[in-house]
Amino acid sequence: MTRTDEFEDLRPLLFSIAYRILGSVSEAEDAVQDTWLRYETSPARPDSAKAFLSAVVTRVSIDVLRSARVRREQYTGQWLPEPLLTDPYEDPARSVELADSVSVASLLLLERLSPLERAVFVLHEVFGFGFAEVASAVGRSQAACRQLAVRARRHMHEGRPRFEADLRERDELAARFFEAFAEGDVEGLCALLSADVQLVGDGGGKAPALARSVLGAEPVARVLAAAFGAFVRAGVGLERHEVNGQPGAVFRDRDGKVVQTLTLDVLDGRIQAVRTVINPDKLGHLGPVADAWALKREAHRGTR
């Protein structure tokens, strides 16, 4: 098998590691490409391509994350991960860990960890790498990695989101949500939202978005109903789709360009959080991106 073949076989795993460390599709893709360049120019052939490439993509991702954290601290408004529609890596033996770790809620928890804690948690807890491999990847002793893993697990456990275990019930609730949303039914939406539901939007200062989070069932329902009316006036439609492993949707304009994504967190038969990403810099991997400001002006003209 050639180096190219080895790398392509492992590309889904490498991207999935990088995405969970970085929370960014574009940055993860760049990290994977950088990993390939280092592998291609490496004079020696490693005994294990998987171990070598996983270590390289982890180190690259840690370096990227350290600089990205500074930018995220200066981010305009609420920062959310770049939406991921499909995780390219599949492992039936670790399907639960993989699905949970890619959710928006879990990625936001991972943001609270240091870059090293995050990398150790992703490699060991999510992908099942042994501590010898983890230590080699992050350049620390096995003992240090065990301590990092303990701290990371504690932080994740303290704030870990608990999603609805019954996927059928979750999906039925999501279907009712989108039906009420499409009808602008405030009362119907209220019945599906938890009392302390949170609505969060990520525009990054580059698209119209909520100035701050909206809390409470009735306020969130009213904002959602008003938003759908604006979408209708601007000719925006939605496509139901899993986003980061959770029920969600992709919104597109008349020309099929991406306007925003939406994800739902479900627990105990109620929607606990609604998160939207409309920052155009975070949507390009989903296709051509619409001009959200122009759509907002069009919707406003439709009210006159």
Side-chain angles (χ1 to χ4, degrees):
M1 182 179 290
T2 66
R3 288 196 182 199
T4 301
D5 292 335
E6 287 178 332
F7 182 82
E8 290 303 323
D9 283 348
L10 291 166
R11 182 187 288 273
L13 170 64
L14 302 178
F15 172 85
S16 295
I17 290 172
Y19 178 76
R20 285 163 173 81
I21 294 175
L22 294 166
S24 165
V25 172
S26 55
E27 289 174 350
E29 290 174 341
D30 289 344
V32 171
Q33 182 60 28
D34 194 358
T35 299
W36 161 246
L37 294 175
R38 298 187 188 197
Y39 187 47
E40 183 183 35
T41 57
S42 175
R45 194 76 174 263
D47 293 334
S48 169
K50 178 182 177 181
F52 178 84
L53 292 169
S54 298
V56 172
V57 81
T58 297
R59 292 182 201 132
V60 170
S61 298
I62 289 172
D63 289 342
V64 173
L65 181 60
R66 283 174 173 148
S67 61
R69 286 168 75 92
V70 176
R71 296 193 303 274
R72 291 173 191 179
E73 288 172 359
Q74 302 168 345
Y75 195 79
T76 300
Q78 172 70 55
W79 181 91
L80 293 175
E82 289 186 11
L84 183 69
L85 300 190
T86 304
D87 187 358
Y89 180 70
E90 296 180 0
D91 181 354
R94 305 196 65 81
S95 59
V96 174
E97 293 89 345
L98 291 170
D100 179 61
S101 64
V102 82
S103 70
V104 175
S106 288
L107 289 171
L108 290 175
L109 278 179
L110 285 169
E111 282 290 304
R112 303 179 186 178
L113 306 181
S114 71
L116 279 178
E117 288 173 339
R118 186 165 181 166
V120 168
F121 183 87
V122 167
L123 290 177
H124 181 67
E125 300 294 327
V126 178
F127 291 95
F129 283 76
F131 278 113
E133 296 172 297
V134 175
S136 175
V138 303
R140 295 291 189 275
S141 68
Q142 290 190 47
C145 288
R146 290 180 189 278
Q147 292 178 343
L148 288 166
V150 168
R151 290 203 298 268
R153 280 197 300 269
R154 183 174 64 249
H155 289 309
M156 294 296 288
H157 179 73
E158 289 171 353
R160 177 166 295 283
R162 297 177 296 120
F163 296 112
E164 194 70 59
D166 188 330
L167 296 183
R168 179 178 177 181
E169 183 178 347
R170 183 198 72 174
D171 292 342
E172 288 177 352
L173 179 64
R176 289 162 56 200
F177 169 87
F178 284 110
E179 181 179 350
F181 178 68
E183 295 174 355
D185 181 359
V186 173
E187 186 174 339
L189 287 168
C190 280
L192 304 172
L193 304 173
S194 69
D196 58 351
V197 65
Q198 181 181 35
L199 172 61
V200 180
D202 177 349
K206 300 183 178 183
L210 297 168
R212 60 183 63 85
S213 300
V214 180
L215 300 175
E218 186 171 348
V220 168
R222 292 191 180 282
V223 170
L224 289 171
F228 182 77
F231 283 143
V232 170
R233 292 191 296 274
V236 174
L238 69 84
E239 301 172 357
R240 289 281 309 278
H241 206 296
E242 275 202 355
V243 182
N244 288 83
Q246 301 301 313
V250 178
F251 293 78
R252 298 182 185 274
D253 69 5
R254 295 185 183 91
D255 300 321
K257 294 181 179 179
V258 179
V259 178
Q260 71 171 36
T261 61
L262 179 149
T263 57
L264 304 174
D265 287 354
V266 177
L267 172 66
D268 296 334
R270 289 288 185 273
I271 294 165
Q272 306 292 323
V274 182
R275 298 184 177 95
T276 66
V277 175
I278 195 171
N279 182 346
D281 293 346
K282 295 186 175 184
L283 300 173
H285 61 285
L286 303 180
V289 180
D291 183 343
W293 290 111
L295 292 171
K296 182 178 181 179
R297 291 192 293 270
E298 183 176 348
H300 181 67
R301 286 196 297 270
T303 62
R304 295 177 180 176

